[in-house]
Structures are given as C-alpha cells and as structure tokens.
C-alpha cells in the first residue's frame, strides 16, 4: 500500500541524501556555510591581526606544526562560542561546521590546542591592542567618555583550601609533633614492626596516612614562607618610606621593626592558587578569586584596557587603567565614568592632572534619592570640597544624563564576558596567567563587537576571507 501511494502521488520531493555518494568535484569550504555566517567574519578578522610575535617563536627544525594563524582562529572562535576546554574545542572541530570552516577542515588534538595556548599565552593576551587597532580603523573608538568597572572572578581554587598564618603556626606544631611521635615509636619498636610487617617491609617507611600528614606539613611550611616573604617586602617598603620622610624633614632615620618577617596572624594563603585572594563579589558572597578590571568606550562598548589584580579594592586601579587606555589608543578620553568604589581625592586630582573630567560619585547612588533630588541652580558656591562639587554636578541634568551612560556601556560588556564567553571562573592559576587569559577574553569581545556591527566588509570584500587558511 505504501508503494502504491508513493507511486500515485504527484508531489515531487527532494532526492534523499545518500551517505555513500561520492564527491563529483572536490568540496569547497566556502560552500559549507551561507555567505552571511559569522564564521567567515571571524576568519577575516584574525587575518588582519599581527601575529609576528607568535611566528617568531618557531624554528626550522622538527615536524611541520599547524599554522599559528589557524590555531589562533580556532581559539578566537572557540572563546566567542563560550568554549575554553581544549577537549571540547577538538570535538567541535569535528562536529561543528563553523569550526571546520574556520579551521580549514583541520582537527588539531586537544593536547596540541592546550600546548599552543599555554606556550603563547602572553601573545594571545596582547591581541587586545590589535583588536583596539581594528576597532579604531572602522571608527568604533570615540574616546569621548571611558567607563571603568571591575568584577570579581572565581579563581581555579576553593576558599576552603586557604588557612590563616595563626592557624598555620598551630597546625604546623601539631603535625610536627605527630611525625616526631611516629618516628620515635618506630625506633623503639623495630622488632615488633618486623614481626608485624614481615621481612620484606623495612618497618621505617611511613604508612599512607602519615605520608599525607608529612605532605600537609610541607605544604603549610611553604605557605608560611610565602606569607613571611610578603611581610618582609611590605616592611622593607614601609621602612624605605619612613627613611625618605625622615630625610626630607631632616630627622634621624627610624629604627626598623624588630621582626619584619612576621605577618599579620589573620593573613591567609591559598594552597591551590597562592596568588588568589578571598574577595567579596557583587552577590555579597565571599569567593577565592581575582579582581578583573576593564575600561570601555562609553559610545561603542569597545574594551580599551583590561587588567587583573589580586587586590579587592577598585580605587587603586583607576589611574593605571586610564593610563593603559592612553597607551593603547594614543589619545586621551574627555571624561572618565566610574562607580563609587573608585572614588578618592587622589583619583580626582590624578584625572585633573591628565586633563580628564571625572564623574565618580563619592558614595553609592540610590535610584530613588537620585531620581527625586532637585537639580542645583545658580553659581557654584565657593569653598566646596571635591566631594561636594562632585555631588552637586551629579545632581544636575547634564551630570545625571552623562553618568547614566556608565550603566549601559561597561556593565553589559562584563555581562557578555561572564555569560556568552562563560568567564565566570578562570581555568588556570597564577596572576600572570590569569591576566593574559582575561585580556584574550577582552580581545575576542572586541572582535565580536566588530562582527555584530557589520564592519568586517571594510577588511575583506568577499565573505570575510583575505588569504587561504
């Protein structure tokens, strides 16, 4: 019946796909996706990047490696798709047509992908300046106002793997006593141990539970040494400041502290990632993480500067971020927008010296109070402090309108980095590695902004490809 119905129908259907059908002509990667697919745009943007720093690391010996430009294309496209694990990226190079097109139908294994990212970590982070250059070429860098903000990102470590210096001291004594007691018992009971363990066991080897104890003791001692070294550096810096101040005042140099190596008893160190710190995030929860900073163009949301520190406070990072904007763009912004966490008179004076206008509230602005506040009228009274001047300006209509741009410029970019690129937690450890990874995330975000604005055609007239993969 089914065959007769098929024969009697007059409707024509497309020929069914035959998996065993041979290619009549060699396949072309450009035919695998429609012209408007973003994979072609991503490939074109990477073709415009200067990768000479990566190419310079390759010599002439050994087996031919994958083209570094191809590897960068894969990682840029992977970060844009929210993939950061090398095994997931390898699988996508097989399963995802977009990855196949970007990778030129090559499938590097996960070990090769991970080794490339690890080897060229710093060079990938420096692609942020290249992305800013491309954005400036297509007119996406205005520099009228720059918005600065920070976010706490979870480190690849647990806060429960941290211990204070005071607790380390107590625990070190406990573990050392336990080890010494065990060794004393072994020495006094050699004969009993031989009978219990047999002739093949020497009797003095530590059992697994004690081996872990010894390892914990070594870990705690290493953490204590790191805290003491940090305390020694801080004491030396403070002593140098005291001596400089005394020398300027014509007074004798002060005496150094009795024990400069003893840190604060509450100072903590993490055993998994010693350079991370316990910080409070926007959800009022304490995490083991880093403080990631960005500065964006308030008109176009292009990231102009990025950095990562292990200092929880935002205020000390404002001026370094502004200086990085000037270094990356070669120009100075007109104004700087930041929230109350960046307020300090030092920052205001620093921006004034740089001939930039600061829009930083001295305290957190509550929506209802800000909305219902009356705009000031008349001339600015004399003798106002910097705080009062800032409060007065932010109550004006121009000040409110201008400061609102911060919420719709830098905060959506942070949301994009944490959701689309899934950068809610760093997958590597160490401040330098985390900083390079964050800068690479920001570079990909800039390239994504260029793609979404349809500016890729200015680099390449045909499907976003300027040279073969």
């Amino acid at each position: 019946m089914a065959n007769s119905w098929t024969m009697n129908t007059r409707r024509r259907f497309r020929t069914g796909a035959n998996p065993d059908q041979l290619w009549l002509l060699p396949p072309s990667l450009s035919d695998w996706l429609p012209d408007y697919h973003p994979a072609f745009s991503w490939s074109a943007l990477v073709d415009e990047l200067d990768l000479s720093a990566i190419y310079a690391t390759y010599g002439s010996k050994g087996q031919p490696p994958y083209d570094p430009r191809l590897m960068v294309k894969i990682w840029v496209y992977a970060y844009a798709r929210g993939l950061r694990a090398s095994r997931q990226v390898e699988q996508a190079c097989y399963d995802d047509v977009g990855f196949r097109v970007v990778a030129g139908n090559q499938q590097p294994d996960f070990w090769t992908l991970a080794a490339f990212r690890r080897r060229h970590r710093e060079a990938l982070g420096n692609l942020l300046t290249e992305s800013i250059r491309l954005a400036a070429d297509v007119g996406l860098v205005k520099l009228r106002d720059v918005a600065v903000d920070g976010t706490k990102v979870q480190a690849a470590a647990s806060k429960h793997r941290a211990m204070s210096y005071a607790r380390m001291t107590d625990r070190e004594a406990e573990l050392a006593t336990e080890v010494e007691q065990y060794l004393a018992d072994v020495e006094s009971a050699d004969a009993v141990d031989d009978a219990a363990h047999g002739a093949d066991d020497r009797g003095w080897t530590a059992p697994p539970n004690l081996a872990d104890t010894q390892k914990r003791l070594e870990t705690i001692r290493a953490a204590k040494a790191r805290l003491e070294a940090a305390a020694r550096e801080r004491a030396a810096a403070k002593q140098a400041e005291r001596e400089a101040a005394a020398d300027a005042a014509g007074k004798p140099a002060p005496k150094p502290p009795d024990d400069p190596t003893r840190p604060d008893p509450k100072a903590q160190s993490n055993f998994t990632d010693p350079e991370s710190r316990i910080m409070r995030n926007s959800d009022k929860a304490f995490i083991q993480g880093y403080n990631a900073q960005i500065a964006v163009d308030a008109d176009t949301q292009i990231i102009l500067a990025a950095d990562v520190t292990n200092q929880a406070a935002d205020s000390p990072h404002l001026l370094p971020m502004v200086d990085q904007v000037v270094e990356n763009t070669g120009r100075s912004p007109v104004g700087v927008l930041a929230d109350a966490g960046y307020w300090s008179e030092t920052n205001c004076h620093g921006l004034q010296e740089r001939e930039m206008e600061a829009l930083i509230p001295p305290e957190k602005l509550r929506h209802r109070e800000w909305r219902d506040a009356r705009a000031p009228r008349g001339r600015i009274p004399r003798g106002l402090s910097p705080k009062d001047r800032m409060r007065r300006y932010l109550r004006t209509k121009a000040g409110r309108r201008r400061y609102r741009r911060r919420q719709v410029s830098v905060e959506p970019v942070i949301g994009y980095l944490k959701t689309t690129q899934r950068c809610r937690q760093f997958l590597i450890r160490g401040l330098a590695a985390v900083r390079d990874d964050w800068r690479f995330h920001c570079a990909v975000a800039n390239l994504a902004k260029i793609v979404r604005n349809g500016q890729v055609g200015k680099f390449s007239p045909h499907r976003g490809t300027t040279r073969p993969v």
Side-chain angles (χ1 to χ4, degrees):
M1 294 295 295
N3 291 337
S4 62
W5 181 87
T6 303
M7 293 176 62
N8 291 335
T9 182
R10 296 173 178 240
R11 183 64 176 170
R12 297 183 60 186
F13 297 96
R14 296 186 181 183
T15 305
N18 183 6
D20 297 327
Q21 175 68 46
L22 298 177
W23 292 97
L24 300 180
L25 295 173
S28 174
L29 292 178
S30 60
D31 295 334
W32 287 9
L33 293 173
D35 293 346
Y36 51 80
H37 197 278
F40 297 112
S41 300
W42 285 102
S43 180
L45 287 179
V46 177
D47 284 335
E48 297 297 326
L49 299 177
D50 181 9
L51 304 182
S52 57
I54 297 179
Y55 278 100
T57 61
Y58 289 87
S60 58
K61 297 181 180 180
Q63 293 294 327
Y66 286 101
D67 188 347
R69 190 171 297 276
L70 178 143
M71 301 294 286
V72 173
K73 287 184 179 183
I74 294 176
W75 273 120
V76 167
Y77 193 63
Y79 271 53
R81 297 284 298 274
L83 299 179
R84 295 188 292 164
S86 56
R87 287 177 174 84
Q88 294 178 354
V89 176
E90 179 192 359
Q91 182 180 0
C93 289
Y94 286 98
D95 300 342
D96 192 293
V97 180
F99 271 93
R100 279 182 173 265
V101 171
V102 169
N105 204 25
Q106 301 293 313
Q107 292 84 29
D109 58 70
F110 71 90
W111 187 91
T112 303
L113 291 166
F116 180 86
R117 180 174 58 176
R118 187 185 310 111
R119 178 184 180 185
H120 304 293
R121 185 195 67 215
E122 184 178 357
L124 292 175
N126 290 336
L127 292 181
L128 175 62
T129 56
E130 284 292 301
S131 68
I132 297 172
R133 177 185 62 81
L134 291 182
D137 290 343
V138 296
L140 292 179
V141 177
K142 308 296 183 181
L143 281 180
R144 285 185 288 186
D145 283 324
V146 168
V148 182
D149 202 359
T151 182
K152 306 302 188 294
V153 182
Q154 173 76 37
S158 171
K159 64 181 179 181
H160 302 294
R161 292 289 295 166
M163 187 179 292
S164 66
Y165 183 80
R167 177 58 181 157
M168 286 181 193
T169 304
D170 297 338
R171 188 60 179 154
E172 180 186 16
E174 295 173 5
L175 295 176
T177 302
E178 185 177 344
V179 172
E180 291 174 1
Q181 181 63 38
Y182 174 79
L183 296 177
D185 292 343
V186 169
E187 260 184 60
S188 62
D190 259 348
V192 178
D193 286 343
D194 287 340
H197 299 292
D200 294 335
D201 198 327
R202 296 177 177 82
W204 51 264
T205 55
N209 60 338
L210 187 65
D212 292 340
T213 303
Q214 184 69 30
K215 186 176 180 180
R216 286 197 299 270
L217 178 59
E218 294 172 357
T219 303
I220 288 175
R221 286 175 174 171
K224 282 187 62 181
R226 288 195 299 268
L227 291 176
E228 291 171 354
R232 191 182 303 109
E233 292 178 1
R234 288 194 298 270
K238 290 183 179 179
Q239 180 66 15
E241 292 178 1
R242 296 192 193 100
E243 292 177 356
D247 185 44
K251 299 180 180 179
K255 295 182 179 180
D258 297 334
D259 189 6
T261 64
R262 185 168 184 82
D264 184 357
K266 294 183 179 180
Q268 290 191 344
S269 178
N270 190 274
F271 300 140
T272 307
D273 188 355
E275 294 185 305
S276 63
R277 298 290 182 270
I278 292 181
M279 301 180 181
R280 194 175 184 180
N281 62 10
S282 57
D283 297 329
K284 311 299 182 184
F286 289 95
I287 64 171
Q288 189 78 33
Y290 291 94
N291 188 357
Q293 299 280 320
I294 60 171
V296 307
D297 192 302
D299 292 315
T300 61
Q301 295 183 338
I302 292 293
I303 302 175
L304 304 177
D307 198 7
V308 175
T309 71
N310 54 12
Q311 186 176 1
D314 288 331
S315 179
H317 307 131
L318 181 65
L319 296 180
M321 291 298 295
V322 172
D323 292 338
Q324 190 182 145
V325 170
V326 177
E327 180 182 357
N328 291 339
T329 62
R331 294 185 291 161
S332 298
V334 177
V336 177
L337 314 176
D339 60 21
Y342 292 89
W343 167 261
S344 73
E345 294 190 8
T346 302
N347 287 339
C348 290
H349 290 316
L351 294 178
Q352 187 177 5
E353 292 175 356
R354 292 165 173 79
E355 298 181 353
M356 303 176 191
E357 186 177 357
L359 283 87
I360 310 172
E363 55 272 327
K364 187 175 181 179
L365 295 176
R366 300 185 181 277
H367 177 70
R368 183 181 298 276
E369 297 177 359
W370 196 29
R371 181 193 62 188
D372 298 338
R374 293 184 178 181
R377 296 182 178 180
R379 297 182 177 178
I380 300 177
R382 295 182 179 179
L384 287 181
S385 64
K387 280 189 176 182
D388 292 333
R389 281 180 173 271
M390 187 62 65
R391 293 190 186 104
R392 189 181 191 279
Y393 178 71
L394 290 175
R395 287 200 307 269
T396 63
K397 291 183 179 179
R400 294 182 193 179
R401 180 173 61 254
R402 194 172 176 187
Y403 183 73
R404 283 194 187 99
R405 303 176 67 201
R406 188 195 69 83
Q407 293 179 329
V408 297
S409 57
V410 64
E411 292 185 1
V413 175
I414 292 178
Y416 171 82
L417 291 169
K418 286 193 166 185
T419 55
T420 302
Q421 294 193 15
R422 300 179 185 178
C423 188
R424 295 184 178 274
Q425 180 180 10
F426 292 117
L427 303 182
I428 51 181
R429 295 166 184 156
L431 181 59
V434 165
R435 178 182 291 116
D436 293 330
D437 189 53
W438 177 251
R439 286 169 58 83
F440 184 53
H441 272 287
C442 294
V444 175
N446 284 348
L447 298 180
K449 195 69 178 179
I450 297 175
V451 171
R452 289 195 299 270
N453 278 268
Q455 301 291 339
V456 185
K458 296 185 178 181
F459 299 117
S460 175
H462 176 66
R463 285 192 170 184
T465 57
T466 56
R467 56 175 66 91
V469 177

